[in-house]
Amino acid sequence: MASADPTADASTADPAMADVNAGAGSTARSDAGSDVDSSTGADPDPAADSGASGHGEDTMDLRLPDELLAFVADETSDSHGARPDQGTAQLSVSTAASREASALPALSALPIQDDLLDHVADWGPTDTPVGTFHLVPVRVERDLPLISRWMNDPAAAAFWELSGPQHVTETHVLSQLTGDGRSVPCIGVLDGTPMSYWEIYRADLDPLARHYPARPHDTGLHLLVGAVADRGRGLGGLLLRAVADLVLAHRPFCARVIAEPDIRNTPSIAAFLTAGFRFSAEVDLPHKRAALMVRDRALRHIL
């Protein structure tokens, strides 16, 4: 297998490379004909204004206590017998979600965090149906020419709005690298070949949190599939699922992975749905109307 170091092909990348896949914040955007869209959030405002825009609480996230669910199940069985056609599937999903939520580690049992995103650089590679995938944090001197080339593809430029001279992309990336760690830009390396740009960020600390009912440690994803040859093959959905699983595996406090592709980007939304995200709401962000997509820890084995 080729080396997972993105430097391998950065200098010889196909000039036509670029795509879009993402979902999140309120300043940068990504989209294109294949998988997803995005935006970034380096604004230091915390999620103090969660839900202030008037969007109602996401009812799919409400969970009943295990004791109540058990009581209801017992009462139903004892008083009426089995009723297979009256909401049993819904009850099983709610029960699974509740049990999954109760399995989250107690706060007192977890170590004190010294990194806002639990050390993305240490997450390591993961196996996917299309090969070994690795998120490698960006190094400007190594990765900037490749990222800038991707951002100048017309399909990506329409949503990320980072086309133009290389310093435009450099300013965007440096704002994250020199920040407090609430957003980590990464190169996605598939079987040793750099092929996508990602931003893993704290959605609850992003300006996005003003526009939906954010919860502590919500984690957002932005994705740009770089090479034209990698679009339209379903890679976006497969990689989004893999990265969401990485987030949930390495961020024990995080119960939800969030994304906000442009509502017009139906291929992007389809990729998130394929990846196990659910459509939660439409939200008006400063630069776009977005589809709020959510992947729940409690439902990750169901969706």
Side-chain angles (χ1 to χ4, degrees):
M1 184 186 78
S3 168
D5 187 339
T7 32
D9 298 327
S11 61
T12 58
D14 184 344
M17 286 192 189
D19 173 0
V20 305
N21 306 49
S26 55
T27 53
R29 256 153 295 289
S30 138
D31 191 323
S34 124
D35 297 304
V36 300
D37 151 3
S38 147
S39 153
T40 229
D43 191 315
D45 283 351
D49 298 340
S50 259
S53 63
H55 296 288
E57 177 63 48
D58 188 341
T59 55
M60 280 196 70
D61 289 326
L62 299 177
R63 298 183 177 88
L64 297 176
D66 287 326
E67 295 81 358
L68 180 56
L69 289 170
F71 175 79
V72 171
D74 290 342
E75 286 294 304
T76 301
S77 175
D78 293 343
S79 302
H80 305 284
R83 296 185 295 174
D85 296 325
Q86 297 187 21
T88 54
Q90 190 172 23
L91 178 60
S92 65
V93 170
S94 299
T95 304
S98 181
R99 287 174 179 169
E100 188 83 28
S102 66
L104 286 171
L107 298 184
S108 60
L110 292 167
I112 297 175
Q113 290 181 297
D114 59 355
D115 184 282
L116 289 175
L117 281 160
D118 297 283
H119 306 281
V120 175
D122 298 334
W123 291 1
T126 186
D127 291 329
T128 78
V130 290
T132 300
F133 184 77
H134 193 185
L135 283 174
V136 180
V138 166
R139 281 173 32 201
V140 171
E141 67 278 9
R142 176 191 65 195
D143 303 319
L144 182 59
L146 181 61
I147 299 172
S148 180
R149 185 178 302 142
W150 288 342
M151 292 298 181
N152 274 281
D153 179 274
F159 290 89
W160 283 81
E161 300 180 357
L162 292 175
S163 61
Q166 188 168 287
H167 71 80
V168 175
T169 299
E170 181 178 21
T171 299
H172 173 78
V173 173
L174 285 177
S175 69
Q176 299 171 77
L177 294 175
T178 59
D180 60 5
R182 70 184 61 198
S183 181
V184 177
C186 296
I187 294 292
V189 181
L190 183 62
D191 283 341
T193 300
M195 50 74 64
S196 53
Y197 172 72
W198 297 75
E199 291 169 355
I200 315 299
Y201 72 100
R202 286 285 298 269
D204 60 323
L205 304 180
D206 187 85
L208 174 65
R210 302 172 184 152
H211 303 277
Y212 83 104
R215 295 182 178 179
H217 296 280
D218 279 354
T219 303
L221 299 181
H222 299 157
L223 165 61
L224 168 72
V225 172
V228 173
D230 287 331
R231 302 179 199 158
R233 299 169 46 200
L235 285 179
L238 292 172
L239 296 182
L240 283 167
R241 181 179 289 273
V243 172
D245 284 344
L246 281 172
V247 170
L248 295 173
H250 293 278
R251 302 211 63 232
F253 288 106
C254 173
R256 305 188 303 180
V257 183
I258 304 296
E260 31 59 78
D262 193 296
I263 195 67
R264 300 167 299 169
N265 187 5
T266 51
S268 171
I269 295 170
F272 280 108
L273 292 172
T274 299
F277 287 72
R278 58 181 175 80
F279 174 79
S280 175
E282 291 188 20
V283 293
D284 288 313
L285 302 180
H287 301 289
K288 65 180 179 182
R289 185 164 181 79
L292 182 67
M293 309 298 295
V294 179
R295 181 140 194 242
D296 305 272
R297 176 186 293 278
L299 300 178
R300 73 187 189 280
H301 299 306
I302 299 173
L303 297 177

